[in-house]
């Protein structure tokens, strides 16, 4: 399995930890809750800096490789821990955005 080598920037990094519960609102009081999924997935919006041509080429070739032939890859992220942890990841369809190109 491939590993993605670029680190996410702290700015623009928004992990959404998995929630295994489903809930039903009630007329009064707390909502009724139960476990719906086991081992649900986290969703992470991450920004990476492509500050030179090598980083740009690496990113776009990695992304193309993993979207033309969809498969998981490893990436060190911080989601629900205080340390960077290696997670098994995959790209979500139509999720990539180019934010800004500051003079490069």
């Amino acid at each position: 399995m491939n590993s993605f080598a670029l680190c996410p920037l702290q700015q623009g990094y928004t992990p959404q930890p998995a929630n295994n519960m489903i809930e039903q609102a009630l007329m009064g009081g707390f909502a009724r809750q139960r476990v719906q999924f086991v081992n649900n997935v986290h969703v992470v919006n991450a920004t990476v800096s492509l500050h030179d041509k090598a980083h740009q080429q690496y990113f776009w070739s990695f992304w193309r490789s993993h979207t033309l032939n969809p498969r998981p890859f490893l990436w060190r992220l911080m989601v629900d821990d205080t340390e960077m942890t290696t997670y098994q990841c995959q790209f979500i369809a139509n999720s990539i955005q180019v934010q800004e190109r500051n003079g490069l």
Side-chain angles (χ1 to χ4, degrees), residues 23-33:
E23 95 179 4
Q24 177 184 5
L26 300 175
M27 294 290 285
F30 290 114
R32 181 178 297 148
Q33 298 176 331

PDB file of all heavy atoms in Angstrom, residues 23-33:
ATOM      1  N   GLU A  23     -29.536   9.071  15.926  1.00  0.00           N
ATOM      2  CA  GLU A  23     -30.406   9.576  16.970  1.00  0.00           C
ATOM      3  C   GLU A  23     -31.730  10.034  16.381  1.00  0.00           C
ATOM      4  O   GLU A  23     -31.816  10.460  15.237  1.00  0.00           O
ATOM      5  CB  GLU A  23     -29.684  10.632  17.787  1.00  0.00           C
ATOM      6  CG  GLU A  23     -29.833  12.024  17.464  1.00  0.00           C
ATOM      7  CD  GLU A  23     -29.037  12.945  18.421  1.00  0.00           C
ATOM      8  OE1 GLU A  23     -28.289  12.499  19.305  1.00  0.00           O
ATOM      9  OE2 GLU A  23     -29.188  14.136  18.236  1.00  0.00           O
ATOM     10  N   GLN A  24     -32.753   9.917  17.215  1.00  0.00           N
ATOM     11  CA  GLN A  24     -34.107  10.307  16.829  1.00  0.00           C
ATOM     12  C   GLN A  24     -34.580  11.350  17.834  1.00  0.00           C
ATOM     13  O   GLN A  24     -34.612  11.097  19.043  1.00  0.00           O
ATOM     14  CB  GLN A  24     -35.034   9.087  16.850  1.00  0.00           C
ATOM     15  CG  GLN A  24     -36.460   9.403  16.537  1.00  0.00           C
ATOM     16  CD  GLN A  24     -37.338   8.161  16.669  1.00  0.00           C
ATOM     17  OE1 GLN A  24     -36.899   7.102  17.084  1.00  0.00           O
ATOM     18  NE2 GLN A  24     -38.602   8.317  16.310  1.00  0.00           N
ATOM     19  N   ALA A  25     -34.915  12.534  17.331  1.00  0.00           N
ATOM     20  CA  ALA A  25     -35.384  13.611  18.211  1.00  0.00           C
ATOM     21  C   ALA A  25     -36.745  13.243  18.783  1.00  0.00           C
ATOM     22  O   ALA A  25     -37.592  12.673  18.094  1.00  0.00           O
ATOM     23  CB  ALA A  25     -35.465  14.912  17.434  1.00  0.00           C
ATOM     24  N   LEU A  26     -36.932  13.589  20.040  1.00  0.00           N
ATOM     25  CA  LEU A  26     -38.210  13.350  20.698  1.00  0.00           C
ATOM     26  C   LEU A  26     -38.885  14.695  20.999  1.00  0.00           C
ATOM     27  O   LEU A  26     -38.227  15.738  20.962  1.00  0.00           O
ATOM     28  CB  LEU A  26     -37.991  12.558  21.992  1.00  0.00           C
ATOM     29  CG  LEU A  26     -37.326  11.188  21.812  1.00  0.00           C
ATOM     30  CD1 LEU A  26     -37.047  10.558  23.169  1.00  0.00           C
ATOM     31  CD2 LEU A  26     -38.200  10.279  20.976  1.00  0.00           C
ATOM     32  N   MET A  27     -40.159  14.669  21.287  1.00  0.00           N
ATOM     33  CA  MET A  27     -40.900  15.907  21.558  1.00  0.00           C
ATOM     34  C   MET A  27     -40.325  16.661  22.754  1.00  0.00           C
ATOM     35  O   MET A  27     -40.298  17.870  22.787  1.00  0.00           O
ATOM     36  CB  MET A  27     -42.376  15.596  21.803  1.00  0.00           C
ATOM     37  CG  MET A  27     -43.090  15.059  20.585  1.00  0.00           C
ATOM     38  SD  MET A  27     -43.316  16.289  19.311  1.00  0.00           S
ATOM     39  CE  MET A  27     -44.625  17.249  20.002  1.00  0.00           C
ATOM     40  N   GLY A  28     -39.865  15.947  23.749  1.00  0.00           N
ATOM     41  CA  GLY A  28     -39.287  16.583  24.929  1.00  0.00           C
ATOM     42  C   GLY A  28     -38.168  15.712  25.474  1.00  0.00           C
ATOM     43  O   GLY A  28     -38.154  14.498  25.298  1.00  0.00           O
ATOM     44  N   GLY A  29     -37.221  16.324  26.096  1.00  0.00           N
ATOM     45  CA  GLY A  29     -36.125  15.565  26.688  1.00  0.00           C
ATOM     46  C   GLY A  29     -35.034  15.228  25.683  1.00  0.00           C
ATOM     47  O   GLY A  29     -34.984  15.760  24.575  1.00  0.00           O
ATOM     48  N   PHE A  30     -34.164  14.333  26.107  1.00  0.00           N
ATOM     49  CA  PHE A  30     -33.043  13.930  25.262  1.00  0.00           C
ATOM     50  C   PHE A  30     -33.523  13.096  24.079  1.00  0.00           C
ATOM     51  O   PHE A  30     -34.554  12.425  24.145  1.00  0.00           O
ATOM     52  CB  PHE A  30     -32.037  13.103  26.064  1.00  0.00           C
ATOM     53  CG  PHE A  30     -31.283  13.894  27.092  1.00  0.00           C
ATOM     54  CD1 PHE A  30     -31.458  13.654  28.440  1.00  0.00           C
ATOM     55  CD2 PHE A  30     -30.392  14.885  26.697  1.00  0.00           C
ATOM     56  CE1 PHE A  30     -30.767  14.382  29.377  1.00  0.00           C
ATOM     57  CE2 PHE A  30     -29.700  15.618  27.633  1.00  0.00           C
ATOM     58  CZ  PHE A  30     -29.888  15.373  28.984  1.00  0.00           C
ATOM     59  N   ALA A  31     -32.751  13.115  23.017  1.00  0.00           N
ATOM     60  CA  ALA A  31     -33.052  12.298  21.843  1.00  0.00           C
ATOM     61  C   ALA A  31     -32.773  10.831  22.145  1.00  0.00           C
ATOM     62  O   ALA A  31     -31.945  10.499  22.998  1.00  0.00           O
ATOM     63  CB  ALA A  31     -32.202  12.750  20.668  1.00  0.00           C
ATOM     64  N   ARG A  32     -33.467   9.966  21.449  1.00  0.00           N
ATOM     65  CA  ARG A  32     -33.207   8.525  21.552  1.00  0.00           C
ATOM     66  C   ARG A  32     -31.978   8.226  20.701  1.00  0.00           C
ATOM     67  O   ARG A  32     -31.911   8.628  19.541  1.00  0.00           O
ATOM     68  CB  ARG A  32     -34.414   7.750  21.048  1.00  0.00           C
ATOM     69  CG  ARG A  32     -34.244   6.249  21.128  1.00  0.00           C
ATOM     70  CD  ARG A  32     -35.472   5.526  20.657  1.00  0.00           C
ATOM     71  NE  ARG A  32     -36.588   5.848  21.543  1.00  0.00           N
ATOM     72  CZ  ARG A  32     -37.855   5.914  21.150  1.00  0.00           C
ATOM     73  NH1 ARG A  32     -38.167   5.694  19.889  1.00  0.00           N
ATOM     74  NH2 ARG A  32     -38.816   6.198  21.987  1.00  0.00           N
ATOM     75  N   GLN A  33     -31.007   7.522  21.262  1.00  0.00           N
ATOM     76  CA  GLN A  33     -29.753   7.220  20.558  1.00  0.00           C
ATOM     77  C   GLN A  33     -29.473   5.731  20.584  1.00  0.00           C
ATOM     78  O   GLN A  33     -29.825   5.043  21.539  1.00  0.00           O
ATOM     79  CB  GLN A  33     -28.575   7.941  21.219  1.00  0.00           C
ATOM     80  CG  GLN A  33     -28.680   9.430  21.202  1.00  0.00           C
ATOM     81  CD  GLN A  33     -27.539  10.093  21.950  1.00  0.00           C
ATOM     82  OE1 GLN A  33     -26.987   9.539  22.885  1.00  0.00           O
ATOM     83  NE2 GLN A  33     -27.184  11.298  21.525  1.00  0.00           N
TER      84      GLN A  33
END
